[in-house]
Amino acid sequence: MKRIVLVVFFISQAIWAQVQFEARVSKNSLGLNERLRIDFYMNFDGDNFNEPSFDGFKVIAGPSQQVSQSWVNGRSSFEKMYSYYLVPNHKGTIVIKSATIEYDGKVYKSLPVKIQVTDAVQQQGDPSDVTVSADNNIYLVADISNGSPYINEPITVVYKLYFSYNVGITNWRELNKPTYNNFWSQNIDIKQLVAEEGQFKGEKYRYVVLRKTVLYPQKSGKLAIEPLSLDIDVQLPTNRRDIFGRMLITEGNKRVSAGSKTINVKPLPEAGKPADFTGAVGKFDFKVTPSKTSLKNGESLDLVVSVTGKGNMKLFTLPKPVVPNALEMYDAVHNEKVETPLSGMTGTISDSYTIVPQYKGSYPIKPIQFSYFDLGTKTYKTISSPEITIDVLDGPTDTRTADNGSNKQQVIVPNQFKYIKTKTELVPANEEDFLGSNLFYSLLFMPFLLLPIIVLAKKKKEAIDSDVFGNRIKANNRLAKKYLSEAKKQLANKEPFYVALEKAMHNFLKAKLHIETSEMSKENIREILLNKGAKPEVVTDFINLTENCEFARYAPSSSATIQDDFNKAVLIIADLEKQIG
């Protein structure tokens, strides 16, 4: 008998000492609107706990850790739990996969758990306990400003959460965010949620604006807006009261959705659509503004093409000016000053072109047209800029001949007198001798007259050759122009471009400041340029650009950045030419 007792005792001790790690759930079947608690229980103090992914569920709380240890009749017991609260994302059978933990050099896994999710159920403990249901007191609504807009006409979507005075809301979480396929969208920031009063279904409700979005449809037809879905923690009143007679509140959960919305987008009319229409919709003002219309050789001007107004400012392109061949125009620098309030985009967009004249003369820039669809009148409108004349006061003259009527048929007039000799060759009767003539004496003394000129020219050449300083300046000027043109050829190749640009800037400095490479420190360059009358901001731009050339060779950059750096170099050199002479 004693042996049997000892065997049972040792077996119980072995079972007690066995390692346990398992997943325990509050229920195996729940409604779509209910919560699930899962505890990962272990009877040892393990390390490196790894939770499962919880696919099909949303974690609303956890992990929370609980540890307990006790001694009973000289025997110790240890328990440790990691707890989570979950809500299901969809109906059906959902499997919670295994969690893992390490203990004594081994890895232990919990068994997977199957959960059956059914339709939403009415939440209740005692049916007579809760006096108000959350189902008929909380609504999520998406207010659409216009359900039938034109393409690129702005509409607004405002999401409001309505709740009655009988319920309270403590927290909410987004389950599904709305998607705006085939729309350009801009969210409006809401700094603080404020509960307001309003009418809903003919009754007074409180509501909170959760999200505001401005949309611009990009195609015609029926476009769907996917819904916003929320999981909301609510407080519901009960029939029970505390010892002071105050009503007791119970916690609940409610899922709401704004529902999918369909927008019927109308295409822009084809009747009267201008050929140069690029998609601008709204109300706009169009201007073409030159920085100057009269300039000298070597100077440049900025031609700014701008549109100001209200409409789809970021969703169309500006027209490009056409200039004569004698004016060299660089790629545009695009600038946007646009705000997007709830009523739609408003502000100014512009393209700034740098133009450098090549020859002396007067050159017209033809009028530029900008077309848009006016939402007020539902018609297309076209604005035309005036013709602009650019006067270049000095510089080389354009010797290129214009092709005026080169294709016209030439009329050949026959020579009626080709058989009649019209010129005579008369010989004087008394010819003078060459010896002693004016031609004889001219040829005789010409070498003596040319000798001083030859001597002066030789001295001038020797003086020029001996002027090492002046020759170096000319060489540096030639090199600056050479490398700047080389940089322009290498716009598509980043590293060769920045090498040529840096050399051009350095050679320009050598020519203008009469300094050597060893003297080209940042402080020395700044001091000399400022002493020669250069503006501080231009000097700073020059130094920053030269310093960035080395860094930009190896840093990632786009073609637009390279073009911007070249345009900056042209403008900076032109400004320094004017300021320091």
Side-chain angles (χ1 to χ4, degrees):
M1 185 66 181
K2 291 182 179 180
R3 292 182 179 178
I4 296 175
V5 171
L6 287 175
V7 170
V8 172
F9 174 77
F10 286 120
I11 292 176
S12 62
Q13 287 290 96
I15 294 175
W16 181 263
Q18 184 178 2
V19 172
Q20 287 182 285
F21 179 50
E22 59 187 19
R24 299 173 180 177
V25 294
S26 59
K27 57 181 73 177
N28 293 97
S29 178
L30 71 157
L32 187 61
N33 59 334
E34 291 184 300
R35 297 184 184 186
L36 175 72
R37 173 173 173 168
I38 182 169
D39 299 320
F40 294 96
Y41 167 85
M42 64 202 75
N43 63 350
F44 55 89
D45 189 10
D47 298 316
N48 299 326
F49 173 74
N50 290 316
E51 65 187 39
S53 60
F54 297 118
D55 294 335
F57 288 92
K58 181 178 180 64
V59 179
I60 60 174
S64 61
Q65 181 177 330
Q66 300 177 20
V67 177
S68 64
Q69 189 169 7
S70 61
W71 290 84
V72 179
N73 297 328
R75 182 182 301 165
S76 66
S77 64
F78 178 88
E79 290 184 352
K80 187 176 183 180
M81 281 196 306
Y82 292 91
S83 301
Y84 296 82
Y85 287 89
L86 315 175
V87 290
N89 291 330
H90 56 80
K91 296 188 297 182
T93 301
I94 304 177
V95 178
I96 299 177
K97 298 180 181 179
S98 302
T100 62
I101 196 166
E102 295 181 11
Y103 176 65
D104 197 19
K106 295 182 180 180
V107 177
Y108 295 89
K109 290 185 178 181
S110 64
L111 294 176
V113 179
K114 288 186 179 181
I115 304 297
Q116 187 68 34
V117 181
T118 61
D119 292 329
V121 298
Q122 184 174 357
Q123 306 234 1
Q124 56 183 12
D126 182 358
S128 62
D129 199 19
V130 178
T131 60
V132 176
S133 171
D135 293 338
N136 300 322
N137 289 276
I138 300 177
Y139 300 92
L140 181 61
V141 177
D143 287 340
I144 309 292
S145 63
N146 186 359
S148 183
Y150 283 100
I151 291 179
N152 274 316
E153 179 180 359
I155 64 173
T156 59
V157 183
V158 179
Y159 294 92
K160 297 179 181 179
L161 180 64
Y162 285 91
F163 53 100
S164 72
Y165 289 86
N166 299 321
V167 300
I169 294 178
T170 58
N171 192 19
W172 57 273
R173 295 162 295 276
E174 288 188 359
L175 297 178
N176 293 307
K177 293 185 177 181
T179 57
Y180 309 108
N181 296 326
N182 300 311
F183 289 92
W184 183 94
S185 63
Q186 175 70 55
N187 289 327
I188 307 298
D189 291 335
I190 299 177
K191 297 181 180 179
Q192 185 176 4
L193 297 178
V194 179
E196 302 180 42
E197 293 185 352
Q199 291 284 331
F200 183 72
K201 293 187 175 182
E203 298 180 6
K204 284 187 176 181
Y205 274 78
R206 292 175 295 171
Y207 71 89
V208 176
V209 176
L210 302 179
R211 184 190 291 262
K212 298 179 181 179
T213 306
V214 180
L215 303 178
Y216 285 83
Q218 298 300 293
K219 62 180 292 187
S220 60
K222 293 184 178 181
L223 305 183
I225 298 178
E226 296 301 323
L228 171 67
S229 299
L230 303 177
D231 181 70
I232 304 173
D233 296 333
V234 297
Q235 292 179 332
L236 302 174
T238 68
N239 288 325
R240 295 177 295 165
R241 296 182 181 274
D242 60 15
I243 59 175
F244 300 103
R246 294 174 299 190
M247 181 181 296
L248 295 178
I249 302 298
T250 184
E251 299 290 335
N253 179 262
K254 173 68 176 176
R255 287 192 173 190
V256 291
S257 174
S260 179
K261 302 293 181 180
T262 301
I263 308 299
N264 186 20
V265 182
K266 298 179 292 187
L268 297 176
E270 293 295 329
K273 181 183 290 187
D276 59 351
F277 178 71
T278 59
V281 176
K283 185 70 175 179
F284 305 104
D285 185 26
F286 175 69
K287 290 183 180 179
V288 179
T289 308
S291 60
K292 61 180 77 172
T293 56
S294 179
L295 64 162
K296 298 179 181 179
N297 181 39
E299 295 182 335
S300 64
L301 65 93
D302 292 330
L303 188 68
V304 180
V305 180
S306 63
V307 168
T308 302
K310 179 180 179 181
N312 58 332
M313 304 293 294
K314 299 181 180 181
L315 303 176
F316 61 83
T317 57
L318 293 171
K320 185 177 182 180
V322 178
V323 301
N325 292 332
L327 303 178
E328 185 175 4
M329 184 174 70
Y330 294 91
D331 291 340
V333 176
H334 188 70
N335 186 34
E336 293 181 354
K337 296 181 180 178
V338 180
E339 295 180 351
T340 310
L342 197 59
S343 57
M345 285 186 276
T346 181
T348 300
I349 61 172
S350 63
D351 285 340
S352 179
Y353 297 87
T354 298
I355 296 177
V356 180
Q358 304 296 311
Y359 302 100
K360 176 183 178 182
S362 182
Y363 304 101
I365 298 178
K366 296 180 180 180
I368 308 173
Q369 290 186 338
F370 171 72
S371 299
Y372 67 94
F373 182 72
D374 191 337
L375 290 171
T377 61
K378 303 295 189 293
T379 58
Y380 292 97
K381 292 186 178 180
T382 300
I383 304 175
S384 181
S385 67
E387 183 177 281
I388 299 172
T389 301
I390 306 299
D391 294 320
V392 184
L393 302 180
D394 57 8
T397 302
D398 190 358
T399 58
R400 298 172 298 179
T401 57
D403 186 12
N404 295 325
S406 59
N407 295 326
K408 294 182 180 180
Q409 184 177 1
Q410 296 182 355
V411 179
I412 301 176
V413 180
N415 188 358
Q416 301 176 0
F417 303 100
K418 66 180 180 178
Y419 299 110
I420 300 175
K421 194 170 185 178
T422 57
K423 294 183 179 180
T424 60
E425 296 179 359
L426 300 178
V427 180
N430 298 321
E431 293 186 2
E432 295 182 359
D433 293 335
F434 174 71
L435 186 62
S437 64
N438 293 334
L439 179 61
F440 171 78
Y441 289 111
S442 298
L443 295 175
L444 179 65
F445 293 107
M446 185 176 293
F448 300 98
L449 296 175
L450 292 176
L451 185 62
I453 299 175
I454 294 173
V455 173
L456 292 174
K458 183 178 180 182
K459 289 184 177 180
K460 181 68 175 176
K461 184 176 183 302
E462 290 175 352
I464 293 174
D465 292 340
S466 62
D467 186 10
V468 178
F469 184 72
N471 290 335
R472 186 180 297 118
I473 293 175
K474 293 178 182 179
N476 289 334
N477 271 325
R478 288 195 300 270
L479 284 173
K481 294 179 180 179
K482 171 187 173 183
Y483 286 118
L484 201 56
S485 62
E486 179 65 25
K488 185 177 180 182
K489 296 177 183 177
Q490 299 292 343
L491 286 173
N493 303 311
K494 180 181 66 176
E495 188 170 349
F497 166 78
Y498 282 107
V499 171
L501 184 63
E502 185 178 11
K503 289 183 179 179
M505 303 291 280
H506 284 173
N507 283 293
F508 173 78
L509 275 185
K510 292 179 182 179
K512 289 298 177 184
L513 305 184
H514 316 316
I515 60 177
E516 296 297 328
T517 303
S518 59
E519 301 175 294
M520 294 183 68
S521 66
K522 181 171 66 174
E523 292 76 12
N524 193 29
I525 292 172
R526 184 185 299 276
E527 181 180 355
I528 297 175
L529 286 176
L530 293 176
N531 290 336
K532 286 185 172 289
K535 294 182 179 179
E537 58 270 18
V538 179
V539 175
T540 301
D541 291 341
F542 185 94
I543 293 174
N544 290 340
L545 184 59
T546 55
E547 289 179 343
N548 289 339
C549 284
E550 179 66 25
F551 172 76
R553 294 185 202 174
Y554 309 103
S557 58
S558 62
S559 59
T561 304
I562 295 175
Q563 183 65 55
D564 288 344
D565 288 342
F566 180 79
N567 293 340
K568 287 180 183 177
V570 173
L571 292 176
I572 292 171
I573 289 178
D575 289 340
L576 289 177
E577 282 277 6
K578 291 185 291 184
Q579 295 170 14
I580 65 178

